[in-house]
Amino acid sequence: AVACLEKGAGDRLAKARLLTALLRNRNVPARVVCGLALARGQVQQAHYWVEAYLYDHWLPMCPCHHHFGRVPSTY
């Protein structure tokens, strides 16, 4: 997370870890979620996004693709 912040860039996991760390720093419960981002073709890659506990439910957000409040059905 620190390296991502210092470089201003990172991979999917680094961005998810950074967002999780920032949320937790503000006392917002947060967790990293790992799954697949389905795409055409035979190769499927792991993808990471974040869920933060806000307003009595887990709110998904993807720092890599800038999704907030929902993630695509392909995740």
Side-chain angles (χ1 to χ4, degrees):
V2 173
C4 182
L5 182 62
E6 289 173 347
K7 290 180 185 176
D11 63 7
R12 298 170 188 148
L13 181 56
K15 290 179 180 181
R17 286 180 175 167
L18 176 59
L19 179 56
T20 301
L22 292 171
L23 287 164
R24 288 178 178 173
N25 181 265
R26 305 287 20 163
N27 295 318
V28 176
R31 61 188 178 195
V32 175
V33 180
C34 179
L36 291 176
L38 300 177
R40 292 191 175 144
Q42 293 183 0
V43 178
Q44 303 299 319
Q45 294 185 348
H47 189 68
Y48 303 91
W49 62 95
V50 176
E51 289 182 341
Y53 196 74
L54 296 168
Y55 308 113
D56 298 327
H57 69 279
W58 288 99
L59 184 72
M61 47 188 86
C62 178
C64 200
H65 298 291
H66 309 286
H67 297 295
F68 180 80
R70 69 168 200 81
V71 290
S73 61
T74 55
Y75 279 27

